[in-house]
Amino acid sequence: EISACLVGSEMCIRDRHKAAVGITEKTDALAIVVSEETGHISYIKNGEFVSYDNQNTLSDLIKGDLN
C-alpha cells in the first residue's frame, strides 16, 4: 500500500521508507530500506534519501557515516 507520493514525481514512498525518514529525522540513526518489489536499496540519513551510483559507493558512504 502506498502511503505518500512526491508531487510532480513518479516516486512513491511506502510505509517502511516513511518510517525510515522519520526515525532518521528524530535521531542520529542511519536507515537502509530494501524494496520488496524492485530490490532497490534506499539509504536514508537526516531524514533525506542519499544518492549513490553503485553498491561500492553506498558501502563507502555508510562506512564514512559510521565513523
Side-chain angles (χ1 to χ4, degrees), residues 24-45:
T24 63
E25 283 177 331
K26 305 279 186 201
T27 69
D28 63 351
L30 305 172
I32 299 168
V33 182
V34 180
S35 168
E36 289 181 32
E37 294 176 3
T38 67
H40 178 75
I41 301 169
S42 296
Y43 179 47
I44 301 143
K45 176 183 172 185

Side-chain angles (χ1 to χ4, degrees), residues 6 11-14 16-22 24 31-33 40-52 61:
L6 301 177
M11 182 180 171
C12 292
I13 300 174
R14 297 191 179 270
R16 286 174 289 132
H17 291 85
K18 191 174 177 181
V21 168
T24 63
I32 299 168
V33 182
H40 178 75
I41 301 169
S42 296
Y43 179 47
I44 301 143
K45 176 183 172 185
N46 299 324
E48 297 184 8
F49 287 80
V50 177
S51 298
Y52 61 92
L61 287 168

